[in-house]
Amino acid sequence: MEHEWKSVQFELSPHSDTHTLKGVDDIQQLLDDHIIKTQTMLGSPYVKAIELRVKQWEGKLLRLQAILDEWLKCQNTWAYLEPIF
């Protein structure tokens, strides 16, 4: 799973005097898939040997999901309010 993330890049789209995230659907799909795989691994009785590493990886994925969700929510709110200013 870690290898798949090495090639992931966020794309930015120019917007007025700043940039916005675009095309995050594939990243969100990969993120959701890896969270499910990681949680499935943690439910296995055979995970004991690598449990700490899997838990750390799960923490990173969940943190990325939270950051991405907040970023997109902020970006959408900003785009909605931009015409007012």
Side-chain angles (χ1 to χ4, degrees):
M1 281 189 275
E2 290 176 354
H3 180 70
E4 290 181 59
W5 284 99
K6 290 184 182 196
S7 63
V8 173
Q9 292 186 2
F10 288 93
E11 295 180 41
L12 297 176
S13 174
H15 184 81
S16 300
D17 61 344
T18 187
H19 293 85
T20 58
L21 274 180
K22 71 172 192 170
V24 293
D25 294 336
D26 292 339
I27 294 173
Q28 286 180 314
Q29 183 63 45
L30 181 65
L31 184 58
D32 290 342
D33 290 347
H34 283 193
I35 289 172
I36 291 170
K37 285 179 185 178
T38 304
Q39 291 173 341
T40 302
M41 288 169 40
L42 285 172
S44 170
Y46 305 106
V47 75
K48 294 296 180 195
I50 58 169
E51 185 173 15
L52 178 61
R53 186 171 178 198
V54 174
K55 284 183 178 181
Q56 290 173 341
W57 182 247
E58 180 191 32
K60 289 178 183 180
L61 292 174
L62 292 173
R63 189 174 327 115
L64 176 58
Q65 185 179 47
I67 290 168
L68 192 55
D69 288 345
E70 287 299 317
W71 189 325
L72 293 173
K73 186 167 56 171
C74 178
Q75 181 173 292
N76 289 337
T77 302
W78 173 77
Y80 173 75
L81 294 173
E82 184 185 22
I84 296 172
F85 301 101

